[in-house]
Amino acid sequence: MSEDFQEDRVAPVAARLAEEALIVDVDGFEGPLDLLLTLSRTQKVDLRKISVLQLAEQYLGFVEQARRLRIELAADYLVMAAWLAFLKSRLLLPPDPADEGPSGDELAAHLAFQLERLAAMREAAAKLMARDQKGRDFFPRGIPEDVTRVRRVTYTASLLDLMQAYARLRTRDEFRPLVMDRDRILTMEQALERLRGMIGFAGEWTDIMCYLPEGWGGDPALRRSATAATFAATLELVREGAIEIRQGETFAPIQIRKRGDG
Amino acid sequence: MAEEHEQEPRESLFEAPPLAEQERMVEAILFASAEPVSVAELNARMPHGADAAAALELLRARYEGRGVRLVKVGEAWAMRTAPDLGFLMQKETVEVRKLSRAAIETLAIIAYHQPVTRAEIEEIRGVSVSRGTIDQLLELEWIRFGRRRMTPGRPVTFVVTEAFLDHFGLESARDLPGLKELRAAGLLDSRPPPGAGTPEEGEEDGAQDDMFGGEGAGEDES
Amino acid sequence: MAEEHEQEPRESLFEAPPLAEQERMVEAILFASAEPVSVAELNARMPHGADAAAALELLRARYEGRGVRLVKVGEAWAMRTAPDLGFLMQKETVEVRKLSRAAIETLAIIAYHQPVTRAEIEEIRGVSVSRGTIDQLLELEWIRFGRRRMTPGRPVTFVVTEAFLDHFGLESARDLPGLKELRAAGLLDSRPPPGAGTPEEGEEDGAQDDMFGGEGAGEDES
């Protein structure tokens, strides 16, 4: 580690210029990892042997400098700065045996891995794009043969067409909820209408479950919806003064009857 | 041959490529070109000093009796499969057309909401679904009838088929991206529809889970 | 079609055509098609008893060093002009939409790490995948949706397509440049950050190994 410090101190003018270029160019970076990768290049070593501590200091220096120049840094750059500061302290302080978390060395190794992986993928991408490409270096048949003996019409569509069609439907202005959702739900309005028609006959205390529409008592989902709607409707009728409501104890049946004086 | 070699130095500072190489060039150009190519155009496209006519003669001889022939079309040249093998070309004659918007939307709804009834499709699309659209999708074998819905009228439902998955390169209907993913991929306007807040999205996702969890989708994959 | 069947009313009673004739047939079919054709499809189109694989071997040798080559794309075969003659084809060159650096990197990550989720791509690149990047790659038909990952949230995965292999002249995803070295260096591992929850990551590793292990890559392309 002491070696790293020395290296840092003898950073040549070129490196300093490079760092200034980084500041000017901050928009050109694709996030903190990209920046760290670029900074790591100034160490001019194999990414496997990189000094994460030195890298952390370079990065923190970069952020400090950006602040001094009043360059606004995106939040993720600052999050990375905070994390690297934490990492730096972990690397410098002797490990606390009581601490359960990962060690500084583990964290550093992972960061080095991420950088190496990103660099490797960049290189792979460059190699891929350097390959001979169809339509540029080699070519398919220019006149696919059209033997018009058998003409069969078939239809095609791409997955993208399919998804876009769906997206178009789901974002139309006159968005409608799915009928599937609707036909399993009894609305309060429906329950109220139903109760109004029946309440005239309810002289005695009756369990509200008796008022569920026919066929809604079996399926739990239907029953749940119908119960809730019917209960809400009874409350509305109570508020109007049309009926009385009572419940003996928690979870006991809820009963209603027509108001006597009504 | 001898003649050609004497000509070359006068024509160009560079030597023309060997005739065998010119033959390769003519072969590649004729293969890739979308139209028959004239000798003049071949000469214009090949390196200076090349003799396309001579190369064409070699190439023609080479393809003699092969599955592919060199043919003259007016003043130009093209490659064509041998006429006696025309019967192998049936597959190439299939005319491929894009699905209509109505059909693709109907298909999308079936894929995302299966099993789904005709009434539900109409509810989502907001217009009635013509018989021809469903018939077309059935004929393409991209959809088939699912179980009848246990609701009044016991309407038939539609589900997508193996052939559908195959055509769209999906391993299962479950692999269709959900609304959130469509949105993330930029396929969906990120602005929620007017009047619909965030719960809408949750609801939809729920509906989707429901439907993929249920019998419909699972049945298809087996 | 009917005609052909009449010509060979009892196909199976006749011997398959001689191999040289089969070679011509394969030549004609591949030559006529702009898209790669699988061995299975070749066999389906050729007369009963033909052995397209054997004929392909002969044909491949025949086109060795020619202006047009026989190339393998996934499980299929195609004819393509020799890459060294690309300079003759300015006329045919299609204007390729310039891919952004983000799109190129995303494509490479999908190719090398497939099947890979959006979150994993973001983890590798260290930035979120911008709107439209995935969209663009899907539109080019270079990537498609793979199986959903069996982890919480069941995220969709992305894999590369046969069109991708065709475009970059790859026989299979295993032939990606430097793949072996990257794998040997552990750079294709999905290594969880230290201290992160292990169980789900473990599953991811499994999925990935699976894919590059053997069947995975090949299977995807078939």
Side-chain angles (χ1 to χ4, degrees), chain A residues 4 7-8 15 18-19 22 29 31-60 62 80 84 108 111-120 122:
Chain A
D4 295 336
E7 265 177 44
D8 195 30
E19 276 183 47
L22 293 177
F29 288 101
L33 209 54
D34 186 25
L35 172 58
L36 277 168
L37 188 57
T38 306
L39 289 173
S40 72
R41 296 261 152 75
T42 61
Q43 291 191 25
K44 286 181 187 149
V45 289
D46 184 341
L47 275 174
R48 283 158 210 260
K49 296 175 194 140
I50 198 168
S51 160
V52 169
L53 183 60
Q54 186 187 335
L55 190 59
E57 287 183 336
Q58 278 176 284
Y59 186 94
L60 294 171
F62 166 84
M80 179 62 91
L84 286 173
L111 179 60
F113 167 73
Q114 282 180 295
L115 291 173
E116 200 192 338
R117 184 173 59 180
L118 180 60
R122 294 239 160 111

Side-chain angles (χ1 to χ4, degrees), chain B residues 67-122:
Chain B
V68 170
R69 298 187 323 163
L70 213 57
V71 295
K72 201 167 181 198
V73 183
E75 286 307 299
W77 291 84
M79 282 176 152
R80 292 275 187 263
T81 52
D84 66 310
L85 298 178
F87 71 96
L88 293 169
M89 296 301 129
Q90 285 162 0
K91 268 232 148 168
E92 308 307 318
T93 69
V94 171
E95 190 183 325
V96 179
R97 292 187 197 159
K98 276 263 175 197
L99 268 191
S100 68
R101 179 171 164 157
I104 189 85
E105 287 186 5
T106 303
L107 183 63
I109 292 167
I110 295 171
Y112 275 88
H113 293 278
Q114 63 171 0
V116 65
T117 67
R118 188 197 190 89
E120 287 158 359
I121 297 168
E122 295 182 341

Side-chain angles (χ1 to χ4, degrees), chain A residues 138-184, chain B residues 30-34 79-81 89-90 92-99 101 104-105 107-109 112-113 120 123-126 136 140 142 164 167-168 176-177 179 182 187-188 193 200 203-204:
Chain A
F138 61 90
F139 296 81
R141 178 79 166 121
I143 322 173
E145 221 119 321
D146 50 344
V147 187
T148 45
R149 282 170 34 124
V150 185
R151 264 173 82 91
R152 193 161 61 84
V153 176
T154 181
Y155 292 86
T156 189
S158 72
L159 184 58
L160 203 63
D161 294 335
L162 187 78
M163 295 186 311
Q164 279 169 340
Y166 189 67
R168 192 166 61 225
L169 284 168
R170 302 318 301 268
T171 52
R172 270 189 327 197
D173 286 353
E174 66 277 24
F175 175 82
R176 295 151 186 259
L178 288 183
V179 74
M180 289 185 273
D181 296 332
R182 190 185 277 177
D183 73 359
R184 298 172 67 84
Chain B
L30 291 186
F31 175 83
S33 172
M79 282 176 152
R80 292 275 187 263
T81 52
M89 296 301 129
Q90 285 162 0
E92 308 307 318
T93 69
V94 171
E95 190 183 325
V96 179
R97 292 187 197 159
K98 276 263 175 197
L99 268 191
R101 179 171 164 157
I104 189 85
E105 287 186 5
L107 183 63
I109 292 167
Y112 275 88
H113 293 278
E120 287 158 359
E123 170 82 8
I124 295 171
R125 285 199 64 221
Q136 186 186 18
L140 281 165
W142 283 352
F164 167 88
H167 180 91
F168 290 96
L176 277 171
L179 277 192
L182 289 177
L187 292 169
L188 210 56
E200 170 246 318
E203 221 180 289
E204 278 168 37

Side-chain angles (χ1 to χ4, degrees), chain B residues 202-219:
Chain B
E203 221 180 289
E204 278 168 37
D205 283 353
Q208 198 149 325
D209 282 350
D210 203 9
M211 96 83 174
F212 285 127
E215 8 110 16
E219 216 175 30

Side-chain angles (χ1 to χ4, degrees), chain A residues 184-189 191-192 195 208-209 212-213 216 220-236 254:
Chain A
R184 298 172 67 84
I185 284 171
L186 188 69
T187 64
M188 207 261 279
E189 288 73 20
L192 195 56
L195 277 177
I208 62 165
M209 294 307 281
L212 296 198
W216 286 70
L222 294 180
R223 191 176 62 234
R224 205 157 44 235
S225 169
T227 307
T230 304
F231 178 61
T234 59
L235 292 181
E236 177 63 21
I254 297 170

